[in-house]
Amino acid sequence: NVNIEYVARSPYKMIETDSIKSFIDKVIASTPADSLSISLLKAEETINQNPYIEKAEVYLEPSGQILARISEQLPLYRVVGDSIDYYNSRNASRMPLKKGINVNVPFVSGDIDSLSHIEVVRVLDAMQKDPFFCDVFMGIDVKRYNKGEGYGYTLTASTRLEGIKVILGDGT
């Protein structure tokens, strides 16, 4: 018998509990008892490849029960562009859009990379704490510019207020 325990669960429920249970049940059914621990470790590795899962641990408890502890990725923002459209988590893990699930997160467009992700997260954290911006904020456009020996970023926050944008960074 397999028990699924969520350590962290997204309110959007991108992971289907039944499919995880079914996968582990198939592993158990096709594994001799003396090599179950190794098979469960391989199952854990496979489950961890799911883009909606931050971390999964699958193990056999002393009672004989099999427990899967799952931490689900939480979408922080949606990256949109001409040929891209996906969610990004706080740790910059890409998550594909899932049919039938609409996630209410800000949109981010432009020059998204690992360095701009850090800036975007910082801005999103600040805006979510601000009562004014929290209500009017819609998304961020990121522009990269050369800055000495590296790059800098100008982030432009879009609002629900007609014609109002907030530019963060000097862009020089």
Side-chain angles (χ1 to χ4, degrees), residues 50-163:
N50 183 315
Y52 303 109
I53 292 180
E54 184 173 346
K55 184 177 182 181
E57 297 174 330
V58 181
Y59 55 90
L60 182 63
E61 294 185 299
S63 66
Q65 289 280 91
I66 294 173
L67 180 63
R69 294 174 49 95
I70 307 290
S71 293
E72 189 173 352
Q73 292 274 19
L74 299 173
L76 183 63
Y77 59 88
R78 182 173 173 175
V79 177
V80 294
D82 292 337
S83 61
I84 56 172
D85 200 2
Y86 60 89
Y87 297 113
N88 233 349
S89 70
R90 182 167 292 282
N91 62 4
S93 293
R94 285 185 178 198
M95 295 174 281
L97 302 183
K98 198 157 188 177
K99 192 173 184 172
I101 296 178
N102 184 25
V103 179
N104 186 18
V105 292
F107 290 93
V108 177
S109 61
D111 301 317
I112 309 299
D113 58 28
S114 59
L115 293 175
S116 65
H117 171 79
I118 295 167
E119 296 300 317
V120 167
V121 170
R122 221 174 57 187
V123 168
L124 289 174
D125 285 346
M127 289 191 170
Q128 289 172 351
K129 292 175 186 170
D130 185 287
F132 173 74
F133 274 113
C134 191
D135 288 341
V136 299
F137 174 68
M138 290 179 10
I140 296 174
D141 184 54
V142 179
K143 296 290 183 223
R144 180 176 44 220
Y145 61 89
N146 289 328
K147 181 180 178 182
E149 294 186 24
Y151 295 106
Y153 298 92
T154 298
L155 281 65
T156 304
S158 300
T159 69
R160 288 183 173 82
L161 305 172
E162 190 174 331

Side-chain angles (χ1 to χ4, degrees), residues 26-45:
K26 287 178 188 174
V27 168
I28 294 166
S30 64
T31 304
D34 60 342
S35 58
L36 185 59
S37 292
I38 294 169
S39 292
L40 290 177
L41 182 61
K42 289 179 183 175
E44 178 181 296
E45 290 170 359

